[in-house]
């Protein structure tokens, strides 16, 4: 299939270079941002793969003094970020290439923020006016290269970092954390295993779905969310069933970026629960959202009937209204071999009340269609734990 018409340069919400083979632009992108010695930030798994060697070689062959930092957990921690800052300074680097899944992208953005700060990381948590504390002039530029289609962190202005002392996930935010250049190259994702393709793709869906259900007024984000969900419906099963389907991989990368663009409108109870569960159980964020999705939809049902009716029509579902959307979500999870309950992925009932309390105060809870107290979050968690839809 000729994919040349999918090769584009976009400028929304940042400079995005889209298309198969666009990783060839990496060294030029670094130079465009004034980098002479970029630090490539990735995870240990990717660091051992040929694509990282190729990226470093490409940069070095063009005269860039490229370094590598890969000491990042699946849920990156504060110490991971500060170790990256130390590597950045020790190597005399002047920019970051955040290359990988959500963990590498978030860690890379946080490292680029922290290299020019004299306050501790948690001083920049997305609370109140903490962002005003940032020394913007000290921030390093970022080129983001996603290798999964899920978090959309490449077009986000925040990083989710685990505070491993308090066992909570904290959102580090500043508007200038948005990477200056993004490269969406589907060829970098073709080797992703089906289970990771499915879980990350459902994460992209959760972003668009929760943004779409947010009560905030933001019609632009609502429209982006709708089209993002259509792309997931049409292309996630294809990308999961046949990983070499480059068109499906490309459309899922775009759907992922769209989901993260849309959630400027806010998220909701899926993420409010997924964040504490990820922090307490070190579980995969996308998989948590995938499992939680129908239970949160069911809890929110009375408040989202109208939006769900419009969504069912837009997606062309065989059944109308909320019931049609819920059936589609449940059937999609089944088709992708997503477990039905949290118990199936190693979550237990030892912290039901704690998870409820943490979810109630999670930043994502503020834009759920209806506010829930800790007890209600605990009940939703318990239903998802035991698969009682």
């Amino acid at each position: 299939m000729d994919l040349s018409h999918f090769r584009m340069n976009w400028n929304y919400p940042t400079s995005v270079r889209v298309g198969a083979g666009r990783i060839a632009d990496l060294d030029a992108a670094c130079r465009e941002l004034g980098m002479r010695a970029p630090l490539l930030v990735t995870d240990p798994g990717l660091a051992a793969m040929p694509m990282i060697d190729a990226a470093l070689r490409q940069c070095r062959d063009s005269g860039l003094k490229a370094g590598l930092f890969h000491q990042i957990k699946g849920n990156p921690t504060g110490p991971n970020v500060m170790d990256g800052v130390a590597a950045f300074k020790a190597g005399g680097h002047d920019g970051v290439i955040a290359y990988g899944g959500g963990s590498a992208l978030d860690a890379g953005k946080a490292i680029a923020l922290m290299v020019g700060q004299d306050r501790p990381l948690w001083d920049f948590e997305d609370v109140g006016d903490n962002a005003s504390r940032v020394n913007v002039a000290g921030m390093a530029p970022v080129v983001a290269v996603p290798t999964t289609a899920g978090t959309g962190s490449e077009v986000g202005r925040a990083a989710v970092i685990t505070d491993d002392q308090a066992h909570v996930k904290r959102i580090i935010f500043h508007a200038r954390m948005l990477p200056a250049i993004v490269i969406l190259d589907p060829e970098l994702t073709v080797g992703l295993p089906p289970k990771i393709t499915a879980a990350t793709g459902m994460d992209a869906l959760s972003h668009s779905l929760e943004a779409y259900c947010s009560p905030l007024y933001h019609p632009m984000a609502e429209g982006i969310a709708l089209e993002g969900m259509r792309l997931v419906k049409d292309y996630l099963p294809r990308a999961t069933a046949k990983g070499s389907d480059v068109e499906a991989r490309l459309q899922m990368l775009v759907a992922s970026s769209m989901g993260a663009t849309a959630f400027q409108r806010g998220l909701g109870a899926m993420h409010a629960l997924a964040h504490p569960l990820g922090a307490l159980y070190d579980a995969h964020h996308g998989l948590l959202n995938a499992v939680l999705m129908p239970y949160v939809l069911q809890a929110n049902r009375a408040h989202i009937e109208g939006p769900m009716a419009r969504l069912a029509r837009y997606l062309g579902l065989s059944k109308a209204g909320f019931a049609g959307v819920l059936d589609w979500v449940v059937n999609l999870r089944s088709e992708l071999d997503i477990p039905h309950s949290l118990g199936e992925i190693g979550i237990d009932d030892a912290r039901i009340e704690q998870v409820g309390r943490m979810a109630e105060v999670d930043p994502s809870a503020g834009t759920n269609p209806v506010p829930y107290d800790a007890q209600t979050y605990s009940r939703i968690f318990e239903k998802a734990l035991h698969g009682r839809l």
Side-chain angles (χ1 to χ4, degrees):
M1 177 180 292
D2 180 13
L3 300 178
S4 59
H5 62 294
F6 289 121
R7 188 179 179 92
M8 295 289 294
N9 289 352
W10 295 338
N11 288 290
Y12 187 77
T14 188
S15 177
V16 184
R17 298 170 188 194
V18 187
R22 294 306 297 271
I23 193 61
D25 295 351
L26 178 61
D27 57 306
C30 291
R31 291 184 183 282
E32 187 175 322
L33 299 180
M35 296 185 203
R36 293 295 177 265
L39 178 66
L40 192 154
V41 177
T42 192
D43 62 71
L46 272 182
M49 295 184 67
M51 71 172 72
I52 298 299
D53 281 339
L56 291 170
R57 188 165 57 252
Q58 175 189 345
C59 289
R60 290 165 182 166
D61 287 349
S62 71
L64 297 176
K65 182 189 171 188
L68 175 66
F69 176 75
H70 59 79
Q71 300 304 317
I72 296 169
K73 292 184 177 180
N75 289 301
T77 66
N80 291 161
V81 172
M82 298 317 296
D83 286 347
V85 170
F88 185 100
K89 293 179 176 179
H93 296 290
D94 56 8
V96 168
I97 301 169
Y99 196 127
S103 59
L105 297 176
D106 278 7
K109 291 192 299 182
I111 290 167
L113 167 72
M114 291 303 297
V115 294
Q117 312 307 318
D118 55 12
R119 289 174 172 268
L121 176 64
W122 307 134
D123 277 12
F124 306 109
E125 185 178 6
D126 189 17
V127 176
D129 64 350
N130 280 355
S132 66
R133 297 170 165 178
V134 170
N135 173 16
V136 176
M139 296 173 67
V142 177
V143 175
V145 185
T147 60
T148 63
T151 68
S153 183
E154 68 276 2
V155 293
R157 301 169 296 170
V160 180
I161 306 296
T162 299
D163 180 342
D164 52 359
Q165 298 298 312
H167 301 290
V168 296
K169 287 193 171 186
R170 302 192 188 276
I171 297 173
I172 308 301
F173 172 86
H174 191 276
R176 297 288 288 273
M177 287 177 70
L178 178 67
I181 296 177
V182 173
I183 297 174
L184 297 184
D185 186 339
E187 293 180 346
L188 303 179
T189 70
V190 295
L192 209 62
K195 286 186 180 299
I196 302 298
T197 301
T200 53
M202 290 295 289
D203 193 28
L205 175 60
S206 76
H207 295 153
S208 284
L209 183 54
E210 290 212 289
Y212 178 70
C213 293
S214 165
L216 299 187
Y217 180 68
H218 198 328
M220 291 179 285
E222 186 176 353
I224 291 167
L226 271 171
E227 180 62 6
M229 287 186 279
R230 185 193 68 80
L231 292 178
V232 171
K233 175 179 178 288
D234 290 351
Y235 293 101
L236 179 55
R238 278 176 53 177
T240 304
K242 185 181 179 184
S244 60
D245 186 333
V246 177
E247 182 186 3
R249 292 291 194 181
L250 173 64
Q251 299 289 14
M252 282 306 304
L253 273 175
V254 173
S256 177
S257 289
M258 290 175 74
T261 303
F263 73 58
Q264 291 183 30
R265 195 185 189 203
L267 292 167
M270 289 176 217
H271 282 77
L273 284 164
H275 287 151
L277 288 170
L280 294 170
Y281 292 92
D282 201 25
H284 186 276
H285 176 74
L287 184 58
L288 287 169
N289 279 322
V291 177
L292 287 163
M293 190 173 293
Y295 303 98
V296 170
L297 284 173
Q298 193 72 272
N300 288 339
R301 179 169 187 165
H303 305 274
I304 58 173
E305 292 277 8
M308 291 300 97
R310 294 195 300 275
L311 177 58
R313 290 194 298 271
Y314 189 79
L315 296 181
L317 301 179
S318 57
K319 185 186 293 186
F322 177 91
V325 175
L326 185 64
D327 281 0
W328 168 60
V329 167
V330 171
N331 291 335
L332 177 62
R333 292 194 321 162
S334 178
E335 180 180 358
L336 300 177
D337 290 327
I338 299 289
H340 184 62
S341 71
L342 292 172
E344 295 172 63
I345 63 171
I347 308 294
D348 58 37
D349 61 1
R351 294 165 164 164
I352 289 178
E353 292 183 0
Q354 181 183 4
V355 169
R357 290 193 300 270
M358 293 172 71
E360 182 184 21
V361 299
D362 188 89
S364 299
T367 44
N368 196 61
V370 57
Y372 291 135
D373 59 18
Q375 291 74 25
T376 303
Y377 274 112
S378 290
R379 285 196 295 271
I380 298 170
F381 170 38
E382 193 167 15
K383 288 181 179 180
L385 183 65
H386 300 295
R388 295 198 297 265
L389 188 57

